[in-house]
Amino acid sequence: MSSRFKTALLGARDTIPMLIGALPFGIIFGTLAVSSGLSAGATLAMSALVFAGSAQFIAIGLIASGTGLVVILLTTLIVNLRHMLYSASMLPYVRHLPQRWRVPLAFWLTDESFAVVHRYYLDATVPLAGKHWYYLGSCLAMYSNWFACTLVGVLLGHALPGMADWGLDFAMVATFIGIVVPLLRTRPMLVAALVAAVVAVAANGLPYKLGLMLAALLGVVAGVVAERLQPRTSYPAEQNQGVTDESL
């Protein structure tokens, strides 16, 4: 077994706790989507092409309420703006990779994979060369798990139409808490979380999920502003040593 494959398997293994948390969440999404009027094909296509759990849940809620396409697109866009912070955090570690790596890894970057992979990249005892295989393993595990769970949800949605009321989505809430809390170690992270939380509670009564959209937008803005106001720390150049084209 090659070292690259072992590293990818390590990334998938370390993501198992996140897979367990996402499992009921994906099933619930599949059941809700078909009960909201989406076809099985459209539901599976959304998980395959969008691959963003929170945005997908918001989208099907808006679709079910007859919201216009522009509002749906803007809402999901703003909710996913948090990925800009993820990308900014990961850029120093993947900037040396060719585009054939950066594009799919950017698409597959989720909250769960970021939490697992970023911690691995922070381990200075492991050389930077080859860490992208760990990243790939984590992403593929999450992607295949989410699609498979959506498929199960679609199939169960017809057999058990009341499944969405079982409260299984609490598992994903707990998972997100487990993801967010360990990351609140810097001022920008704390500022973003606090601003988003306060705005989400204050604007909860707004229609079309606008409260959530506003909370996400202001949280991202607050985090970016806080990041720019604090002194920058350079990425350890010594971790880039030994990264060659052969290691990609």
Side-chain angles (χ1 to χ4, degrees):
M1 184 182 298
S2 68
S3 60
R4 296 175 178 178
F5 187 64
K6 288 181 179 178
T7 303
L9 284 181
L10 178 61
R13 187 202 68 182
D14 290 348
T15 312
I16 289 177
M18 303 298 180
L19 301 181
I20 296 175
L23 193 149
F25 195 58
I27 294 175
I28 289 296
F29 167 74
T31 61
L32 284 178
V34 293
S35 64
S36 298
L38 266 69
S39 66
T43 302
L44 294 175
M46 183 180 287
S47 283
L49 302 177
V50 178
F51 188 42
S54 56
Q56 290 178 225
F57 267 90
I58 292 171
I60 61 172
L62 294 174
I63 291 172
S65 63
T67 306
L69 180 61
V70 174
V71 175
I72 295 175
L73 292 176
L74 287 176
T75 302
T76 53
L77 172 64
I78 293 177
V79 167
N80 282 333
L81 283 179
R82 68 189 186 280
H83 289 274
M84 292 179 62
L85 297 178
Y86 297 161
S87 299
S89 297
M90 293 301 299
L91 180 60
Y93 306 109
V94 300
R95 66 168 75 248
H96 66 282
L97 296 175
Q99 191 173 27
R100 70 177 186 273
W101 273 97
R102 293 200 303 267
V103 170
L105 291 181
F107 169 74
W108 282 322
L109 183 61
T110 60
D111 305 273
E112 297 84 1
S113 288
F114 174 78
V116 174
V117 173
H118 190 254
R119 187 181 301 112
Y120 184 72
Y121 271 104
L122 291 176
D123 186 358
T125 63
V126 181
L128 180 62
K131 281 188 173 181
H132 53 288
W133 289 97
Y134 180 96
Y135 188 168
L136 178 65
S138 176
C139 288
L140 289 180
M142 281 302 306
Y143 185 69
S144 57
N145 179 73
W146 180 252
F147 186 83
C149 289
T150 301
L151 177 59
V152 171
V154 168
L155 297 176
L156 291 179
H158 298 287
L160 301 171
M163 190 177 177
D165 299 325
W166 290 7
L168 298 178
D169 51 334
F170 175 76
M172 199 58 185
V173 175
T175 301
F176 270 104
I177 293 174
I179 292 173
V180 172
V181 172
L183 295 176
L184 301 181
R185 297 174 296 179
T186 65
R187 184 177 301 173
M189 290 289 189
L190 286 170
V191 170
L194 288 174
V195 170
V198 171
V199 175
V201 173
N204 184 52
L206 295 178
Y208 302 120
K209 306 287 186 180
L210 292 177
L212 180 59
M213 182 170 64
L214 185 62
L217 176 61
L218 294 182
V220 169
V221 171
V224 171
V225 171
E227 177 76 24
R228 291 184 176 181
L229 290 178
Q230 76 172 9
R232 292 184 178 274
T233 56
S234 59
Y235 177 70
E238 60 271 15
Q239 288 197 29
N240 283 316
Q241 294 179 0
V243 179
T244 62
D245 292 337
E246 287 76 13
S247 66
L248 306 179

